[in-house]
């Protein structure tokens, strides 16, 4: 019933993950896998583009919490861009904007990663 | 046939025969041939034999169980008839004289002897016909039945031709019918299916009886067809009867002659057949076992026992593949042995030089070692006292996976033949099904146990929700919580803080089901413990985060909202930890009370303390505060639309002047209607607080009490 897709691309030393559709308890493991794959290949600059993300549940938010600590320990970060008003509202209710940097556009976000791996 | 009818079917023929006898005596005395009398006589005889036929037929319904004994009885009957017939031959002064091409008995004694002999032969012919019919139709097939019927028709037609009613000369037709009937006796005589099912012992008796019977019948035939007394006697008594008797005796002689030969040829294979039968019955009892034995150890023990019975093995054992561990070599677990020690099994299979298991694993086919001492694959047996001549190992395959191996040994070399392998393969298939069934049953029992525990958890968890809502004239409350799974759910709770203050908490654990239920229980404890010591709602939230964070796993967090209603000062102080805001309704308007704050468990550092705020509102009589979890606004309609905050607010405003209960009911009805037949995807909780204030206290107190009574009943 729930449709969820993840697209992954690399650019400028930043791994961009594009989310599409419903992120809930059923689809959360897919995002977990995507994060785990990046961490395994030591990619810690992660930008999550939520342009086509239509819904996120608390289980979906949990995925971000599960990886942020490891990512930051390695001087990387998870940044979010292009949130729809509805998705932003869910993040905001829980206070996520205090924990994650959220940007309007990818362009703004890419410049804000601290460590730029030599590419 | 009823007893009375049976009696009639014996008495009437007896009466008819007596009448015929006296008729004959009278005729013999006056020596006048009267054609009219002939018809009466002929009809009496015909009727008598038809009745006797039905009498004998009714006494042998269904399939004869003991075939050989039937043949034996027939043999005795034949001997008796032969004796009666020969008695007439030997008796003095019993003779016929020929007059005008007709036979005339010399005296009444001749008539008596002739009649008795003829009736005896007629009855014997009936018995022969019925017995052969039973044997031929032992295994009923269309063709067999048809051939027998053809014989019957030809035989009866042949006899009918000789009836005195036929005036025209039909001798040649009679001969043709007679010839065809004999042809059919030969065709029918090939149907000897019953022999196959005889045991060896029965077959030996069958050979003796059939031969004796065939020979006796030939003697009888010779006697009857000769122009001696018996031939003349039956010819005199009734021509159709003579045909009937002769044809059926020929049938009997041919059929039992064939039976003798068939049985003789079947004798060498009697052992094989008997073994096949025991194999069949073993397989049958195993199939029954599949549905009966639920206990795994009972099952495997029975399997090894039956393996020995099925293929006459000296010993047998069953080993099953242990749960395949990743990438490692498959390990086996010997689950049952019969007449062999585990040391011997280890010697056969587990020593490094043994390739038996790996051969089966590779080929997934039956492995047969005909001669252990000569075979390369079992050279490691040498020098060990195993008393094994040959070894048969059958893989148990479930779809494409090997789940085990069934082994059987024989002390003789070449102890297993082609049949053993076939039977064992079939048997192994049954064993596989039985084992899988037993495992499935064990699994479903386990599942049932889990289900029971879940139900128990559900009951316990319901008790975690407040069993009794606070009652106060100024403060009316109504609440509902609906989990989406069997267990879990969003918690809410109330606490009397003293000094006319009431604390209300509502929360939401990320995730659902069992894990959420555990956190819910933990939150209940934290709330009851901290709410009384915390000075302000904000204080409570900070302490709750401190207490919860360490016990939550990284991806789990809790949102929570805590409000303290001060009944003396008519205020509500609210702190929020990432939870949905409170909807404060006053008159026709509403506001969202949303102090800043992070969800519990997201972070423990100073950021949490800095971001957690607290808001106070003053309350007027008629105000309402609505607490909810995101499950309420995220309820989906069948078309996928969300219920949303707007619909929630509208539902509340529809009943804004009413009591807490009515508002709660209105919202709940709208949600139910909106969701249609869809199940809730998330847990839902809704708490409605209606503020009556001190001004109307005396007025309201009665109804408030009544209402709270209603709520209590509902909760119970």
């Amino acid at each position: 019933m729930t449709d969820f897709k993840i697209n992954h691309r690399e650019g400028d030393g930043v791994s961009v993950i594009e989310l599409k559709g419903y992120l809930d308890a059923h689809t959360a493991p897919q995002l977990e896998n995507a994060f785990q794959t990046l961490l395994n290949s030591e990619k810690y600059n992660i930008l999550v583009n939520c342009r086509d993300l239509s819904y996120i549940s608390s289980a979906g938010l949990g995925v971000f919490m599960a990886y942020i600590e490891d990512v930051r320990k390695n001087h990387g970060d998870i940044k979010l861009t292009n949130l729809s008003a509805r998705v932003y509202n869910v993040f905001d209710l829980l206070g996520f904007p205090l924990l994650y940097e959220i940007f309007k556009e990818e362009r703004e976000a890419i410049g804000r990663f601290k460590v730029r791996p030599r590419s | 046939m009823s007893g009375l009818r049976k009696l009639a079917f014996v008495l009437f023929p007896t009466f008819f025969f007596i009448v015929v006898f006296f008729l004959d005596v009278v005729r013999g005395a006056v020596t006048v041939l009267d054609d009219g009398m002939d018809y009466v006589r002929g009809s009496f005889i015909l009727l008598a034999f038809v009745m006797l036929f039905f009498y004998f037929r009714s006494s042998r319904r269904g399939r004869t169980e003991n075939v050989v004994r039937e043949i034996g009885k027939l043999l005795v009957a034949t001997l008796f008839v032969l004796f009666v017939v020969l008695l007439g031959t030997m008796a003095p002064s019993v003779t016929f004289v020929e007059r005008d091409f007709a036979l005339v008995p010399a005296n009444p004694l001749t008539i008596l002897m002739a009649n008795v002999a003829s009736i005896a032969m007629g009855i014997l012919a009936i018995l022969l016909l019925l017995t052969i019919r039973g044997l031929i139709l032992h295994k009923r097939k269309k063709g067999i039945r048809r051939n027998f019927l053809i014989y019957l028709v030809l035989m009866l037609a042949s006899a009918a031709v000789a009836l005195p009613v036929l005036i025209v000369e039909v001798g040649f037709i009679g001969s043709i019918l007679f010839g065809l009937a004999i042809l059919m006796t030969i065709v029918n005589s090939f149907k000897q299916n019953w022999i196959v099912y005889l045991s060896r012992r029965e077959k030996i008796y069958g050979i003796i009886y059939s031969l004796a019977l065939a020979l006796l019948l030939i003697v009888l035939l010779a006697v009857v067809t000769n122009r001696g007394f018996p031939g003349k006697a039956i010819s005199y008594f009734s021509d159709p009867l003579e045909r009937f008797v002769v044809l059926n005796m020929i049938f009997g002689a041919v059929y039992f002659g064939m039976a003798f030969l068939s049985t003789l040829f079947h004798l060498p294979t009697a052992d094989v057949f008997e073994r096949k039968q025991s194999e069949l019955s073993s397989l049958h009892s195993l199939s029954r076992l599949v549905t009966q034995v639920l206990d795994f150890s009972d099952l495997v023990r029975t399997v090894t026992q039956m393996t020995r019975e099925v293929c006459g093995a000296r010993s047998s054992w069953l080993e099953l593949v242990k749960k395949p561990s990743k990438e490692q070599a498959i390990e086996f677990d010997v689950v049952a042995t019969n007449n062999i020690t585990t040391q011997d099994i280890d010697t056969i299979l587990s020593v490094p030089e043994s390739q038996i298991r790996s051969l089966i694993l590779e080929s997934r086919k039956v492995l047969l070692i005909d001669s252990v001492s000569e075979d390369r694959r079992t050279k490691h047996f040498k020098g060990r006292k195993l008393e094994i001549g040959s070894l048969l190992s059958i893989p148990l395959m479930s779809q494409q996976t090997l789940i085990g191996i069934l082994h059987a040994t024989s002390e003789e070399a070449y102890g297993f033949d082609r049949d053993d392998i076939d039977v064992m393969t079939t048997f192994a298939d049954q064993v596989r099904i039985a084992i899988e069934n037993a495992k499935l049953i064990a699994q479903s029992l386990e599942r049932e146990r889990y289900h029971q525990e879940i139900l128990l958890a559900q009951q316990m968890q319901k008790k975690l929700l407040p069993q009794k809502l606070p009652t106060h004239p100024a403060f009316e409350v109504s609440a509902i919580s609906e989990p989406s799974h069997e267990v879990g759910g969003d918690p809410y709770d109330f606490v009397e803080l003293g000094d006319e203050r009431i604390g209300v908490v509502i929360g939401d654990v990320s995730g659902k089901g069992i894990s959420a239920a555990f956190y819910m229980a933990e939150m209940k404890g934290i709330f009851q413990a901290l709410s009384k010591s915390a000075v302000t709602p904000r204080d409570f939230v900070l302490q709750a985060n401190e207490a919860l964070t360490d016990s939550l796993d990284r991806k789990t967090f809790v949102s929570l909202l805590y409000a303290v209603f001060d009944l003396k000062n008519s205020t509500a102080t609210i702190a929020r930890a990432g939870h949905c805001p409170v909807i404060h309704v006053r008159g026709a308007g509403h506001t969202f009370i949303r102090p800043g704050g992070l969800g519990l468990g997201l972070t423990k550092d100073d950021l949490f303390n800095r971001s957690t705020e607290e808001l106070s509102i003053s309350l007027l009589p008629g105000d309402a505060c609505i607490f909810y979890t995101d499950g309420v606004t995220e309820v989906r309609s069948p078309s996928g639309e969300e219920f949303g905050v707007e619909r929630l607010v509208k539902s509340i405003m529809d009943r804004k002047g009413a009591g807490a209960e009515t508002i709660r009911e209105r919202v709940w009805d709208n949600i139910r209607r909106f969701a249609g037949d869809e199940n809730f995807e998330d847990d839902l909780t809704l708490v409605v607080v209606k503020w009556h204030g001190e001004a109307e206290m005396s007025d309201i107190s009665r109804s408030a009490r009544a209402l709270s009574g209603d709520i209590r009943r509902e909760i119970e």
Side-chain angles (χ1 to χ4, degrees):
Chain A
M1 172 196 120
T2 43
D3 229 0
F4 181 66
K5 268 202 185 112
I6 296 177
N7 186 33
H8 168 229
R9 60 186 151 87
E10 291 288 323
D12 261 342
V14 175
S15 304
V16 181
I17 286 179
E18 290 174 354
L19 305 182
K20 190 175 179 181
Y22 281 71
L23 179 56
D24 58 16
H26 299 287
T27 56
Q30 292 182 44
L31 182 60
E32 275 176 46
N33 285 340
F35 280 143
Q36 195 58 56
T37 314
L38 289 177
L39 263 61
N40 289 346
S41 49
E42 300 186 0
K43 287 175 177 150
Y44 301 109
N45 289 346
I46 302 168
L47 191 152
V48 182
N49 187 327
C50 304
R51 191 189 300 118
D52 297 318
L53 183 67
S54 42
Y55 171 80
I56 187 163
S57 77
S58 55
L61 296 168
V63 179
F64 290 94
M65 293 311 298
Y67 289 95
I68 189 69
E69 213 171 294
D70 284 347
V71 168
R72 288 190 178 153
K73 222 185 280 166
N74 289 289
H75 312 291
D77 198 13
I78 298 175
K79 297 185 199 296
L80 301 152
T81 72
N82 302 77
L83 273 70
S84 69
R86 191 172 143 196
V87 170
Y88 180 81
N89 195 36
V90 178
F91 275 90
D92 188 38
L93 205 57
L94 265 166
F96 265 47
L98 296 168
L99 302 167
Y100 295 86
E101 284 192 284
I102 299 177
F103 299 93
K104 275 213 180 86
E105 297 290 334
E106 273 186 32
R107 209 163 14 87
E108 297 169 48
I110 284 171
R112 302 291 292 270
F113 284 98
K114 272 182 254 169
V115 179
R116 306 296 297 271
R118 284 158 292 165
S119 49
Chain B
M1 212 185 263
S2 68
L4 202 66
R5 211 144 140 211
K6 265 188 170 174
L7 192 66
F9 272 58
V10 179
L11 284 180
F12 275 109
T14 313
F15 169 71
F16 289 150
F17 289 139
I18 291 167
V19 169
V20 168
F21 171 70
F22 282 113
L23 221 60
D24 285 2
V25 171
V26 172
R27 279 204 316 180
V30 296
T31 63
V32 171
L33 288 169
D34 183 77
D35 280 337
M37 259 320 153
D38 249 11
Y39 290 134
V40 175
R41 191 177 170 277
S43 313
F44 273 21
I45 292 172
L46 181 66
L47 204 59
F49 275 105
V50 167
M51 287 177 97
L52 282 175
F53 175 82
F54 284 107
Y55 167 77
F56 284 114
R57 206 188 65 158
S58 76
S59 55
R60 49 174 77 210
R61 284 258 154 219
R63 190 176 277 179
T64 39
E65 284 309 317
N66 196 333
V67 182
V68 175
R69 189 184 294 166
E70 286 298 315
I71 301 172
K73 279 189 202 162
L74 206 54
L75 185 65
V76 172
T78 313
L79 263 172
F80 177 74
V81 170
L82 192 63
F83 171 74
V84 170
V85 169
L86 292 178
L87 202 67
T89 316
M90 286 177 218
S93 77
V94 166
T95 182
F96 286 94
V97 287
E98 260 181 77
R99 198 183 300 156
D100 304 334
F101 303 106
L103 291 165
V104 179
N107 46 38
L109 182 65
T110 309
I111 296 172
L112 182 67
M113 293 304 285
N115 284 17
V116 168
S118 301
I119 293 163
M121 285 191 279
I123 290 173
L124 178 65
I126 289 173
L127 291 176
L128 270 171
L129 186 66
L130 286 170
T131 306
I132 294 173
R133 176 173 168 273
L135 294 176
I136 286 180
L137 299 182
H138 192 81
K139 185 173 185 175
R140 292 195 184 182
K141 281 186 191 155
K142 214 174 162 188
I144 293 175
R145 214 183 162 78
R146 189 198 54 212
N147 285 347
F148 186 74
L149 279 176
I150 292 174
Y151 165 75
L152 265 189
V153 170
L154 287 170
M155 182 266 291
L156 289 176
S158 169
V161 166
L163 282 172
V165 283
L166 295 170
I167 301 152
V168 270
E169 183 52 56
V170 284
F172 74 100
I173 296 179
S175 303
I176 291 171
L177 289 171
F178 193 82
L180 286 173
I182 287 176
L183 192 71
M184 285 316 289
T185 63
I186 295 168
V187 170
N188 278 301
S189 294
F190 282 101
K191 300 300 164 206
Q192 307 273 4
N193 273 319
W194 51 279
I195 293 170
V196 182
Y197 303 96
L198 299 181
S199 68
R200 190 185 169 80
R201 194 183 147 81
E202 284 176 323
K203 277 186 181 133
I204 291 168
Y205 279 102
I207 287 172
I208 297 167
Y209 288 173
S210 315
L211 180 64
L213 186 55
L215 290 176
L216 275 182
L217 286 172
I218 290 168
V219 170
L220 246 180
L221 269 169
V223 168
V224 172
T225 47
N226 229 327
R227 294 309 284 171
F229 165 76
K232 283 178 183 165
I234 196 163
S235 178
Y236 152 79
F237 186 70
S238 168
D239 267 341
L241 183 69
E242 186 185 359
R243 298 266 177 109
F244 180 79
V245 166
V246 168
L247 268 174
N248 284 322
M249 280 185 182
I250 292 173
F251 194 11
V254 174
Y255 190 85
F256 289 105
M258 288 283 233
F260 162 69
L261 290 174
S262 300
T263 319
L264 197 64
F265 293 136
H266 268 101
L267 203 55
T269 59
D271 273 348
V272 175
F273 183 77
E274 264 171 45
R275 220 182 79 191
K276 281 258 179 245
Q277 260 186 332
S278 89
E279 283 164 1
L280 258 177
S281 72
S282 285
L283 278 178
H284 180 70
S285 49
L286 188 83
S287 310
R288 243 193 357 246
L289 208 70
V290 171
T291 55
Q292 282 174 354
V293 178
L294 301 182
D295 185 73
F296 189 76
S297 55
D298 276 357
L299 175 73
V300 290
R301 208 175 35 244
T302 318
V303 164
T304 50
Q305 177 60 38
M306 284 196 165
T307 303
R308 287 185 61 195
E309 282 169 24
V310 165
C311 64
R314 180 179 176 275
S315 65
S316 95
W317 69 99
L318 174 68
E319 51 183 12
L320 295 179
V321 173
K322 277 189 196 165
K323 274 260 176 280
S325 47
K326 273 178 217 157
E327 307 297 319
Q328 275 174 15
I330 292 176
E331 278 182 57
F332 287 90
D333 202 2
V334 177
V335 290
T337 62
N338 196 311
N339 204 23
I340 190 163
T341 60
T342 42
Q343 287 99 314
D344 282 354
I345 293 172
D346 281 346
T347 313
I348 296 167
L349 298 172
S350 299
V351 292
E353 56 267 44
S354 171
Q355 319 159 353
I356 293 168
R357 276 176 180 151
S358 54
L359 282 169
I360 293 172
L361 272 171
E362 271 167 39
S363 68
R364 324 232 135 171
K365 285 195 179 110
V366 174
L367 179 83
L368 172 64
I369 293 170
D370 275 325
S371 174
V372 163
S373 56
E374 295 166 55
D375 203 294
R376 196 173 40 80
R377 292 168 293 188
T378 48
K379 56 174 187 268
H380 62 283
F381 282 29
K382 219 162 254 170
R384 307 185 204 253
K385 281 185 184 163
L386 287 172
E387 291 173 10
I388 292 174
S390 44
L391 173 72
L392 177 62
S393 301
I394 317 266
L396 306 181
M397 301 295 294
S398 173
Q399 270 120 31
Q400 295 302 310
T401 7
L402 181 86
I403 63 158
I405 307 173
L406 183 60
H407 302 270
T409 70
S410 168
E411 54 231 288
E412 302 296 331
Y414 297 91
F416 299 106
D417 61 17
R418 191 66 247 165
D419 279 354
D420 290 322
I421 298 172
D422 286 347
V423 169
M424 284 297 290
T425 313
T426 315
F427 183 71
D429 220 36
Q430 300 282 336
V431 170
R432 194 257 308 161
I433 294 168
I435 287 171
E436 287 185 337
N437 270 0
K439 281 183 177 168
L440 276 178
I441 286 163
Q443 269 174 23
S444 77
L445 286 176
E446 182 83 339
R447 210 167 298 143
E448 178 57 24
R449 203 173 58 79
Y450 279 130
H451 184 65
Q452 289 302 326
E453 305 230 328
I454 293 266
L455 289 182
L456 195 69
Q458 192 177 17
Q459 286 171 12
M460 293 186 64
Q461 203 216 318
K462 276 196 180 134
K463 289 191 179 149
L464 289 176
L465 292 175
Q467 301 298 295
K468 200 179 134 196
L469 297 176
T471 53
H472 193 281
F475 176 92
E476 184 202 348
V477 65
S478 176
I480 188 163
S481 181
E482 174 102 353
S484 66
H485 290 54
E486 284 94 339
V487 291
D490 300 324
Y492 68 90
D493 208 354
F494 304 95
V495 66
E496 305 258 1
L497 295 168
D499 203 15
E500 294 203 61
R501 289 185 309 145
I502 297 173
V504 178
V505 74
I506 184 165
D508 187 356
V509 180
S510 74
K512 282 164 266 182
I514 305 260
S515 65
F518 275 109
Y519 289 127
M520 176 179 166
E522 190 177 2
M523 275 175 69
K524 167 98 181 177
I526 287 172
F527 176 65
Q528 291 290 340
L530 296 181
S531 58
K532 285 179 183 156
S533 63
V535 183
T536 63
R538 180 175 179 274
D539 208 21
F540 168 81
V541 168
L542 297 185
Q543 286 180 38
N545 188 49
E546 199 70 29
L548 255 176
T549 306
D550 290 335
S551 65
L552 291 172
D553 73 56
R554 264 151 85 182
K555 51 183 166 180
T556 308
F557 48 86
V558 175
S559 75
L560 177 146
L561 189 140
Y562 180 50
V564 174
F565 288 84
D566 188 325
L567 302 166
K568 260 197 316 208
N569 301 318
S570 291
T571 57
T573 311
I574 298 160
R576 189 185 68 95
H579 196 80
C580 303
V582 178
I583 303 173
H584 177 215
V585 178
R586 175 172 293 169
H590 70 277
T591 41
F592 291 96
I593 315 296
R594 187 179 158 167
L598 282 163
L600 307 180
L602 291 180
T603 177
K604 220 175 147 180
D605 55 31
D606 193 41
L607 178 65
F608 189 90
N609 294 11
R610 275 189 282 122
S611 56
T612 305
E613 299 170 358
E614 189 177 272
L615 281 176
S616 256
I617 54 170
S618 61
L619 295 165
L620 294 177
D623 282 6
C625 289
I626 288 90
F627 304 79
Y628 64 97
T629 58
D630 59 4
V632 171
T633 49
E634 288 176 11
V635 163
R636 282 178 195 282
S637 70
S639 62
E641 207 184 339
E642 259 186 18
F643 189 68
V645 181
E646 287 76 19
R647 282 196 186 82
L648 173 63
V649 170
K650 190 179 177 303
S651 307
I652 296 163
M653 299 314 276
D654 280 352
R655 294 287 182 274
K656 57 181 185 286
E661 182 81 359
T662 313
I663 296 173
R664 205 261 301 147
E665 267 172 10
R666 174 68 178 182
V667 174
W668 204 249
D669 285 350
N670 282 355
I671 289 170
R672 277 271 174 225
R673 213 171 303 136
F674 185 78
D677 293 331
E678 297 284 303
N679 281 328
F680 296 142
E681 280 174 44
D682 198 0
D683 307 327
L684 271 71
T685 295
L686 182 70
V687 178
V688 177
V689 172
K690 185 81 180 179
W691 188 259
H692 294 301
E694 286 196 87
E696 296 167 50
M697 224 160 87
S698 56
D699 227 27
I700 300 295
S701 55
R702 255 171 315 187
S703 63
R705 247 198 304 282
L707 262 173
S708 61
D710 285 343
I711 294 162
R712 255 203 304 281
R713 241 168 283 137
E714 194 177 277
I715 286 165
E716 278 154 19

